């Protein structure tokens, strides 16, 4: 149970949250036309006669979009309806050429499912929690109004008009901004594993409508507001906190919460009223007369199931069990599909059983590679070091060619030059030495220069051993084998 509470003048308040996530389906074409669905084209470059609502144009469902939605439903553990239907949602807006949106209100493609979010003590999520999914339906997106192209006019870009969306509606099961953030991260992870949505919130391919209400703990549900089109997880969490506090202030001041649609302003970190909230009857829904109901064959459903990849929770359990990864490492690596793919390519490139190298590889990936990528502002897909090069570096450490310190030096050079580690070691003479004669000579010099500390060590000050190791390694430029240095020092110091 969440410990998140709002402290009002009249006592504690609980926040109740539901999310409606719009996820753009990965498809070359739109939901009902053959126009391109790619992002970034010039305004109105990807518009067919169907998207522009020219007279006599009839929609034809894109099978790939339906396939992706069914696979997503399966990944959410949801019921797949063999029979579903498209409805017209009627409203007028400048970016909606048809005067209606084709959606699914009464008979959605996908029914109830669930997502389990993990415990996170830092965020106040005390234990894993299951968030219910009410439904997933497919619908077409609207176009986009452009208000910054002319001082007195607004232009319309119809590139998004007709693009396929999955609307994934949660139950009102979340009780804190942290739970909502965890839910969105988990949902985004699942979508990316399935390959049905790229989850890029900055480009608008995943966005959330945030439903928030407040109540005294244990009371009936309060009146909710809906904050539209929030396009980052951080903004969703901020919008929830701000809107919940606003509602508490309104109620405690003697006012009433009005069911309405609001917008989130990230610059002011506040929500603003947009319009009164419409009900279903305001949209005059009715079955779309141009489209037959969708009837899925068992063969089609079986094909979708066969195409599902290993999902993040299952992959994490496998990493912990078969590969022996620490719980934290497994969670971090499986949170994003591209990271998991990179890790598996790294392990495969070592040529050794995954169980032998998994833990070492995961530690290096999370500490060294992630640290470098964060510093460079790059993603793992854009890593300057390949999995094969990473595996080669790990092998040089494993066989004693490189010490941990030298490996870090080599890694920095790899980042700068893109060269393979073996080439760097050879050209720059960075190979670790286990030459006992050379190491013994340096140890003798270090002891002679620090005779007083030798006496202190032999007198019982054992902690000085680390000092001698450091001085020896420094004198040898970090190239001495630490294990050999330790052994020889013990003998020399008595």
């Amino acid at each position: 149970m969440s410990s998140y509470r709002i402290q009002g003048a009249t006592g504690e308040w609980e926040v109740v949250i539901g999310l409606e996530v719009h996820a753009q389906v990965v498809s070359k074409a739109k939901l009902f036309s053959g126009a391109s669905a790619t992002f970034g084209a010039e305004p109105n470059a990807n518009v067919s006669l169907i998207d522009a609502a020219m007279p006599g144009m009839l929609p034809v469902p894109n099978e790939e979009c339906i396939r992706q939605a069914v696979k997503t439903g399966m990944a959410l553990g949801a019921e797949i309806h063999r029979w579903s239907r498209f409805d017209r949602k009627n409203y007028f807006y400048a970016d909606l050429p048809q005067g209606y949106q084709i959606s699914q209100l009464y008979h959605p493609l996908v029914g109830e499912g669930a997502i389990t979010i993990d415990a996170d003590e830092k965020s106040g999520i005390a234990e894993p929690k299951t968030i219910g999914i009410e439904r997933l339906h497919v619908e077409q997106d609207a176009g986009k109004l452009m208000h910054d192209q002319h001082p007195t006019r607004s232009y319309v870009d119809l590139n998004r008009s007709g693009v396929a969306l999955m609307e994934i509606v949660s139950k009102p099961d979340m009780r804190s901004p942290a739970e909502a953030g965890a839910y969105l991260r988990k949902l985004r992870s699942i979508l990316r594993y399935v390959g049905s949505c790229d989850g890029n919130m900055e480009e608008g391919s995943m966005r959330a409508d945030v439903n928030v209400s407040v109540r005294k703990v244990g009371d009936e549900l309060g009146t909710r507001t809906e904050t539209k089109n929030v396009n980052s997880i951080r903004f969703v969490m901020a919008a929830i906190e701000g809107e919940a506090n606003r509602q508490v202030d309104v109620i405690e001041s003697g006012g009433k919460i009005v069911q309405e649609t609001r917008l989130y302003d990230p610059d002011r970190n506040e929500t603003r009223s947009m319009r009164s909230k419409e009900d279903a009857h305001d949209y005059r829904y009715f079955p779309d007369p141009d489209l037959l109901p969708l009837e899925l064959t068992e063969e089609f459903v079986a094909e979708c199931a066969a195409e599902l990849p290993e999902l993040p929770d299952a992959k994490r359990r496998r990493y912990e069990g078969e590969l022996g990864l620490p719980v934290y490492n497994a969670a971090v690596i499986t949170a994003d599909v591209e990271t998991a793919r990179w890790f598996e390519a790294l392990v495969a490139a070592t040529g050794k059983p995954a169980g032998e190298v998994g833990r070492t590889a995961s530690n290096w990936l999370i500490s060294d590679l992630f640290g470098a990528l964060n510093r460079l502002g790059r993603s793992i897909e854009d890593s300057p070091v390949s999995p094969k090069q990473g595996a080669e570096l790990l092998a040089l450490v494993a066989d004693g060619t490189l010490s941990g310190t030298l490996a870090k030096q080599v890694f920095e050079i790899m980042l700068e030059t893109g060269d393979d580690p073996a080439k760097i070691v050879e050209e720059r003479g960075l190979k670790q030495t286990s030459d006992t004669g050379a190491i013994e000579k340096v140890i003798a010099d270090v002891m002679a220069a620090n005779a007083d500390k030798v006496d202190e060590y032999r007198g019982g000050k054992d902690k000085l051993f680390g000092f001698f190791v450091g001085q020896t390694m420094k004198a040898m430029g970090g190239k001495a084998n630490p294990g050999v240095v330790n052994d020889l020092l013990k003998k020399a110091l008595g």
Side-chain angles (χ1 to χ4, degrees):
M1 180 177 290
S2 171
S3 59
Y4 183 81
R5 296 287 185 270
I6 295 173
Q7 300 296 328
T10 62
E12 285 192 336
W13 295 79
E14 182 179 44
V15 61
V16 178
I17 306 153
L19 296 176
E20 300 170 18
V21 175
H22 293 84
Q24 180 176 327
V25 178
V26 171
S27 171
K28 293 180 180 178
K30 297 181 179 180
L31 182 55
F32 297 117
S33 81
S36 172
T38 54
F39 177 82
E42 288 295 310
N44 295 307
N46 298 340
V47 186
S48 74
L49 296 176
I50 293 173
D51 308 323
M54 291 293 105
M57 295 296 104
L58 295 175
V60 178
N62 180 341
E63 182 179 328
E64 180 59 23
C65 296
I66 305 304
R67 182 184 302 275
Q68 294 281 40
V70 169
K71 287 164 61 177
T72 301
M74 290 176 170
L76 298 173
E79 179 186 2
I80 307 302
H81 295 150
R82 304 308 195 260
W83 190 96
S84 62
R85 190 183 70 194
F86 288 105
D87 303 300
R88 287 189 182 181
K89 179 182 182 181
N90 296 273
Y91 67 95
F92 175 79
Y93 207 65
D95 61 9
L96 194 72
Q98 294 164 310
Y100 59 84
Q101 177 191 34
I102 301 177
S103 183
Q104 294 184 310
L105 176 67
Y106 298 112
H107 300 280
L109 181 63
V110 177
E112 293 191 1
I115 285 178
T116 300
I117 60 174
D118 299 320
D120 184 352
E121 291 184 6
K122 291 182 180 178
S123 301
I125 304 175
E127 56 190 21
K129 180 174 181 178
T130 299
I131 309 297
I133 303 289
E134 184 74 37
R135 56 190 279 146
L136 179 158
H137 64 261
V138 290
E139 63 185 21
Q140 57 182 176
D141 204 353
K144 177 183 177 183
L145 285 178
M146 305 168 71
H147 303 293
D148 57 354
Q149 306 295 306
H150 191 277
T152 60
R153 297 176 181 175
S154 291
Y155 292 157
V156 181
D157 177 10
L158 295 180
N159 279 346
R160 291 190 65 89
S161 180
V163 165
L165 299 177
M166 296 178 288
E167 181 170 346
I168 303 161
V169 182
S170 83
K171 294 185 178 181
D173 290 345
M174 289 159 273
R175 295 292 179 269
S176 72
E179 288 185 2
Y183 169 86
L184 281 171
R185 283 189 289 272
K186 189 65 170 286
L187 177 58
R188 181 179 183 272
S189 175
I190 291 170
L191 293 173
R192 284 171 55 80
Y193 266 81
V194 173
S196 58
C197 175
D198 64 21
N200 193 327
M201 299 186 82
E202 293 76 19
E203 293 181 359
S205 57
M206 180 174 161
R207 52 193 193 269
D209 296 343
V210 185
N211 292 290
V212 175
S213 67
V214 297
R215 65 181 178 185
K216 286 293 180 68
V217 180
D219 282 0
E220 295 293 318
L221 291 174
T223 302
R224 65 182 172 89
T225 63
E226 180 183 40
T227 303
K228 296 286 287 186
N229 291 330
V230 188
N231 66 352
S232 86
I233 294 173
R234 180 166 60 89
F235 288 166
V236 165
M237 295 172 68
I240 290 168
E241 186 168 8
E243 175 60 14
N245 278 283
R246 182 194 72 84
Q247 291 186 18
V248 169
D249 290 342
V250 168
I251 296 169
E252 291 192 331
S253 300
K256 287 188 176 182
I257 301 301
V258 178
Q259 185 173 328
E260 63 180 348
T261 299
R262 301 180 68 85
L263 290 176
Y264 175 67
D265 183 342
D267 295 327
R268 297 185 178 183
N269 191 28
E270 65 181 20
T271 64
R272 294 198 302 271
S273 181
M274 180 181 174
R275 61 177 183 264
S276 61
K277 176 63 180 173
E278 297 88 348
D279 291 315
H281 64 262
D282 294 317
Y283 291 115
R284 305 186 317 283
Y285 278 97
F286 62 86
D288 193 297
D290 293 334
L291 289 161
L292 291 170
L294 281 176
E295 297 188 33
L296 307 183
T297 65
E298 292 304 320
E299 181 183 15
F300 178 82
V301 173
E303 287 174 1
C304 292
E307 292 174 5
L308 276 181
E310 183 181 37
L311 295 169
D313 284 350
K315 191 178 289 290
R316 184 179 64 184
R317 288 192 294 270
R318 180 169 65 83
Y319 283 3
E320 292 174 9
E322 293 180 13
L323 276 61
L325 264 60
V327 171
Y328 174 79
N329 289 20
V332 169
I333 292 172
T334 58
D336 180 73
V337 66
E338 293 300 335
T339 302
R341 287 172 181 160
W342 207 98
F343 171 70
E344 292 187 1
L346 171 68
V347 170
T350 66
K352 295 184 178 181
E356 287 184 16
V357 298
R359 180 183 287 262
T360 301
S362 70
N363 287 336
W364 176 81
L365 173 64
I366 291 173
S367 59
D368 293 55
L369 183 62
F370 275 11
L373 294 176
N374 287 336
R375 191 171 72 243
L376 297 171
R378 299 173 77 162
S379 67
I380 200 159
E381 298 102 306
D382 191 33
S383 170
V385 173
S386 71
K388 182 176 179 296
Q389 290 175 317
E392 187 178 326
L393 180 64
L394 292 176
L396 291 173
V397 174
D399 68 12
T401 301
L402 293 176
S403 64
T405 302
L406 285 174
K408 290 184 184 297
Q409 292 181 37
V410 172
F411 180 56
E412 288 301 322
I413 298 169
M414 291 167 66
L415 291 168
E416 292 173 14
T417 65
D419 288 343
D420 292 340
K423 178 184 177 185
I424 293 168
V425 169
E426 187 65 33
E427 290 181 350
R428 308 203 182 197
L430 293 173
K431 186 178 294 187
Q432 175 176 261
T433 180
S434 297
D435 181 343
T436 55
I439 296 173
E440 284 173 340
K441 182 179 183 305
V442 172
I443 287 175
D445 293 342
V446 169
M447 290 174 65
N450 297 277
D452 55 334
K453 288 187 170 58
V454 172
D455 291 339
E456 288 179 38
Y457 175 82
R458 288 173 175 166
K461 206 168 182 180
D462 294 344
K463 290 183 179 178
L464 280 171
F465 187 79
F467 166 79
F468 290 108
V469 172
Q471 290 298 304
T472 304
M473 295 298 291
K474 182 179 178 181
M476 298 198 70
K479 296 179 184 178
N481 185 317
V484 176
V485 169
N486 273 270
D487 291 343
L488 294 178
L489 268 172
K490 286 174 183 175
K491 291 178 183 176
L493 289 168

